[in-house]
Amino acid sequence: MAESDNIVAETAEKIFADLADAQTINSDKKGNWKAPLWKALSEAGLPLSWVPEACGGSGASLAEGFSVLSGAGRFAVAVPLAETMLAGWLLALAKIGCPEGPMTVVPASPKDRITLNTDGTLSGRARDVPFAKEARHIAVLAHGSSGLSIALVDAAGCRIEAGLNLASDPSDTVMLNNIQPVAIAPVPKPFNQTQLMLMGGVARSLQIAGSLESMLEVSVRYSNERVAFEKKISKFQAVQHNLARLAGESAAALAAATSAADAIANCKTFDDEVFLEAASAKIRCSEAAEKGSAIAHQVHGAIGFTIEHILHRYTLRALAWRDDFGSESYWAVELGKLVAARGADELWPLVASR
């Protein structure tokens, strides 16, 4: 990692440590922590990390932005940071200037589709859009008769049905009914919706990997504090075995997510090798989220299920992030299609290329 990557990551980590402490947030039932955190992130230019300065952003590299997402995962940050970064990245592809404030991206599911009508308006329905209710603007990838376009839409003009994911974070349904975009431009070829889903999937993979690191840290600390039968539970072989399994899941998720992020940061096009990395990362990190969350709660026992304990901030978000931008089952099918299409003789060269 370059020195500049460390500076961006350290800046994000300091902001999270100062303003996104899990225990403080857990005790704040009114959500007063959100405004100061978002203000600090915005002043540091982190939400628009992937937007060139010419389009109103910070001009950071993809690698620098990915380091921010890893930190956000470790703190289980429940603000639209990743969503705004993705929206800014999408708008920057079409050289559309980015407005201030939180944004999100539509569609957030590979099966949803937004249509660009002949009169230049947008129509369609997108489900499970993260933080749509809190977004001021939405970056939309739309399908038209002449190909794909990227549009900037004022969220106030859309019909948004509020919803919640497993962690009780906004996961809304966005309906566009002949919405006139603020700005619109054609997509540079060969970009497509699959590439948007892959980018979002890698962002979620990094967040899941980060949350698993925190689950492991919290679980190890608790096992060294909790005493049963006159000794710390960390001394029991069964607990040691579970912690070792949790460490393995965390390491596997981190390796898969960072490898996929590195592949995207250094690629010129989203080729089959990048698809393999990104799809595999989402699959493996989603599996690790399920297994790791179960282990962490087992180590904590009953106290880990209480709303007062911070563990749920990490486990529920890791589990919720599995479904964003394509579930593990969706990407497993798509990866299988790629392997089948290339043929058996091409499988090992594809794997070995990374």
Side-chain angles (χ1 to χ4, degrees), residues 68-133:
V68 172
L69 292 176
S70 294
R74 283 191 291 275
F75 284 85
V77 175
V79 293
L81 175 60
E83 293 73 18
T84 302
M85 290 174 64
L86 284 169
W89 172 78
L90 184 63
L91 293 170
L93 290 177
K95 294 181 171 53
I96 297 175
C98 292
E100 295 182 357
M103 295 188 288
T104 191
V105 62
V106 166
S109 170
K111 296 183 179 180
D112 289 337
R113 182 186 178 103
I114 304 300
T115 301
L116 174 61
N117 303 316
T118 55
D119 61 355
T121 60
L122 301 171
S123 297
R125 179 173 179 265
R127 301 160 296 171
D128 303 322
V129 179
F131 293 99
K133 270 286 187 181

Side-chain angles (χ1 to χ4, degrees), residues 53-354:
E53 294 181 9
C55 294
S58 304
S61 68
L62 286 175
E64 289 170 333
F66 285 137
S67 69
V68 172
L69 292 176
S70 294
R74 283 191 291 275
F75 284 85
V77 175
V79 293
L81 175 60
E83 293 73 18
T84 302
M85 290 174 64
L86 284 169
W89 172 78
L90 184 63
L91 293 170
L93 290 177
K95 294 181 171 53
I96 297 175
C98 292
E100 295 182 357
M103 295 188 288
T104 191
V105 62
V106 166
S109 170
K111 296 183 179 180
D112 289 337
R113 182 186 178 103
I114 304 300
T115 301
L116 174 61
N117 303 316
T118 55
D119 61 355
T121 60
L122 301 171
S123 297
R125 179 173 179 265
R127 301 160 296 171
D128 303 322
V129 179
F131 293 99
K133 270 286 187 181
E134 297 185 11
R136 293 183 186 177
H137 292 87
I138 302 174
V140 179
L141 182 66
H143 297 255
S145 57
S146 58
L148 290 173
S149 295
I150 295 172
L152 175 65
V153 171
D154 188 342
C158 303
R159 180 184 171 190
I160 300 176
E161 292 183 355
L164 298 174
N165 64 13
L166 191 62
S168 296
D169 294 331
S171 182
D172 311 310
T173 298
V174 178
M175 284 162 284
L176 297 92
N177 184 17
N178 297 321
I179 296 295
Q180 186 68 47
V182 176
I184 190 167
V187 171
K189 295 181 179 180
F191 187 82
N192 55 41
Q193 186 165 320
T194 297
Q195 294 176 21
L196 172 60
M197 295 300 113
L198 289 172
M199 189 70 173
V202 170
R204 285 297 190 246
S205 296
L206 287 165
Q207 290 178 286
I208 290 172
S211 69
L212 282 163
E213 289 184 273
S214 293
M215 285 182 223
L216 177 60
E217 180 184 348
V218 170
S219 298
V220 170
R221 183 170 64 243
Y222 177 77
S223 70
N224 284 316
E225 295 171 350
R226 178 74 167 91
V227 175
F229 303 107
E230 300 182 349
K231 66 178 180 180
K232 297 177 181 178
I233 64 172
S234 60
K235 302 297 182 181
F236 290 98
Q237 188 174 11
V239 175
Q240 292 174 349
H241 176 68
N242 273 342
L243 289 174
R245 288 174 55 211
L246 177 54
E249 293 298 329
S250 176
L254 183 62
T258 54
S259 181
D262 179 70
I264 290 179
N266 293 287
C267 74
K268 294 182 179 179
T269 60
F270 280 69
D271 53 18
D272 287 352
E273 286 75 16
V274 172
F275 185 98
L276 171 68
E277 288 273 5
S280 298
K282 190 65 181 342
I283 294 167
R284 186 63 186 91
C285 289
S286 297
E287 292 176 350
E290 180 182 6
K291 296 176 182 178
S293 297
I295 294 169
H297 279 289
Q298 189 172 27
V299 170
H300 279 78
I303 194 173
F305 286 92
T306 63
I307 196 67
E308 290 81 7
H309 201 280
I310 63 172
L311 181 61
H312 67 85
R313 290 198 57 80
Y314 307 105
T315 57
L316 291 180
R317 281 179 181 80
L319 293 171
W321 288 332
R322 294 180 305 165
D323 293 329
D324 292 342
F325 303 102
S327 64
E328 59 194 283
S329 58
Y330 170 82
W331 287 117
V333 170
E334 294 302 305
L335 188 57
K337 291 178 180 178
L338 171 65
V339 172
R342 289 177 64 106
D345 293 339
E346 290 294 320
L347 176 57
W348 176 247
L350 176 63
V351 174
S353 66
R354 295 302 307 163

Side-chain angles (χ1 to χ4, degrees), residues 11-81:
T11 300
E13 289 279 351
K14 187 178 187 306
I15 293 173
F16 295 143
D18 291 343
L19 299 172
D21 174 69
Q23 195 62 62
T24 301
I25 291 175
N26 213 35
S27 302
D28 184 359
K29 305 304 180 184
K30 296 183 179 180
N32 294 325
W33 59 272
K34 288 188 176 182
L37 174 59
W38 186 259
K39 180 181 179 182
L41 291 171
S42 299
E43 289 177 349
L46 297 178
L48 299 181
S49 296
W50 287 330
V51 179
E53 294 181 9
C55 294
S58 304
S61 68
L62 286 175
E64 289 170 333
F66 285 137
S67 69
V68 172
L69 292 176
S70 294
R74 283 191 291 275
F75 284 85
V77 175
V79 293
L81 175 60

